[in-house]
Amino acid sequence: MAVLALAGCTTPYQRMGLSGGYQDSEIARGVMRIEVRGNPHTHLGTLHDYFHRRAKELCQQREYEWFLDSGSEKGPQVFYGTRLGPTVVLADTSSNKRGWVRGVVTCRDASEKTSAAPPGHLVQILDVQSGLVTHVSSDLAMAQVPRSTRWAFVADGKVSARTPEGHLVHVDVDKLDAARTLGYRLLPDAEQESAAPPAPSPPSDSGSASGH
């Protein structure tokens, strides 16, 4: 009954509980490990927001640096029973994946604010598994993205994708949810080179000017 009562409700911003939430621990002075979990109805983007909300609280509104990972995992199965005469038919829910976000946050001292990197040193990268776009430092991006099977750079507000028919397209980051709903497959950096359109063939020796 408790599971059914939670159905359809997004995990609120709260300490870790039965329906999810956040938990954190200090692993060094000014360095915290944060983990956020949600129920099957909580979008990964919401969990990312909770991660940064908790980071701001722990750093007392100071600037901070972070590195995080996210994903989803199969949650507990919920079964529904139907009695047909002497027989009971059981069926489990078809969608019960629970999202998670975990990472490390380093708070900056007040004296470090003046030496903080300007916004221009941040770049956008895409997590092709979740469809989420985030800003990270250029150093971190260059260490994580090239030849990655999970991450891709965002160029001019667009990312590369394959349509269900196999065509290469470029999708605006603000339309990623719609593209994924239509079955587009977002391409990680490792597939970017192979996804490039083939170079035009040189003219044949016959000198024919006709084309296909």
Side-chain angles (χ1 to χ4, degrees):
M1 291 298 295
V3 173
L4 293 177
L6 294 173
C9 299
T10 298
T11 299
Y13 182 73
Q14 62 181 18
R15 284 283 184 182
M16 189 70 73
L18 291 177
S19 64
Y22 65 83
Q23 60 185 7
D24 50 74
S25 60
E26 187 174 28
I27 56 179
R29 183 176 179 181
V31 182
M32 270 72 63
R33 179 182 289 112
I34 302 174
E35 179 177 4
V36 188
R37 290 183 175 271
N39 62 25
H41 304 281
T42 307
H43 191 274
L44 272 177
T46 301
L47 299 183
H48 277 240
D49 290 342
Y50 289 172
F51 177 94
H52 287 288
R53 179 174 173 180
R54 184 57 182 161
K56 290 178 181 178
E57 292 175 349
L58 293 173
C59 293
Q60 300 177 351
Q61 301 302 318
R62 288 174 291 160
E63 295 184 7
Y64 58 90
E65 297 176 347
W66 76 93
F67 178 79
L68 59 78
D69 195 6
S70 62
S72 60
E73 61 191 20
K74 192 76 171 177
Q77 287 183 305
V78 179
F79 289 93
Y80 297 92
T82 304
R83 181 177 291 278
L84 301 174
T87 305
V88 174
V89 179
L90 292 178
D92 66 335
T93 56
S94 58
S95 178
N96 60 349
K97 286 190 173 182
R98 299 185 172 194
W100 54 264
V101 175
R102 65 175 67 100
V104 174
V105 168
T106 303
C107 304
R108 286 187 176 143
D109 292 333
S111 60
E112 294 183 78
K113 271 194 164 185
T114 56
S115 60
H121 287 189
L122 297 179
V123 297
Q124 281 186 310
I125 62 174
L126 165 73
D127 180 346
V128 299
Q129 294 182 12
S130 66
L132 293 174
V133 174
T134 186
H135 289 82
V136 299
S137 68
S138 57
D139 290 342
L140 179 59
M142 292 307 298
Q144 294 292 325
V145 177
R147 295 179 295 280
S148 170
T149 58
R150 176 167 182 174
W151 302 96
F153 288 109
V154 177
D156 297 325
K158 299 179 184 293
V159 296
S160 298
R162 289 276 186 196
T163 67
E165 297 77 23
H167 302 300
L168 175 66
V169 295
H170 299 289
V171 181
D172 291 330
V173 293
D174 58 352
K175 298 178 180 177
L176 289 179
D177 287 342
R180 285 158 60 86
T181 300
L182 293 173
Y184 287 34
R185 186 173 67 86
L186 305 179
L187 300 181
D189 192 75
E191 297 185 42
Q192 296 293 319
E193 185 174 348
S194 60
S201 302
S204 62
D205 295 336
S206 61
S208 173
S210 62
H212 297 286

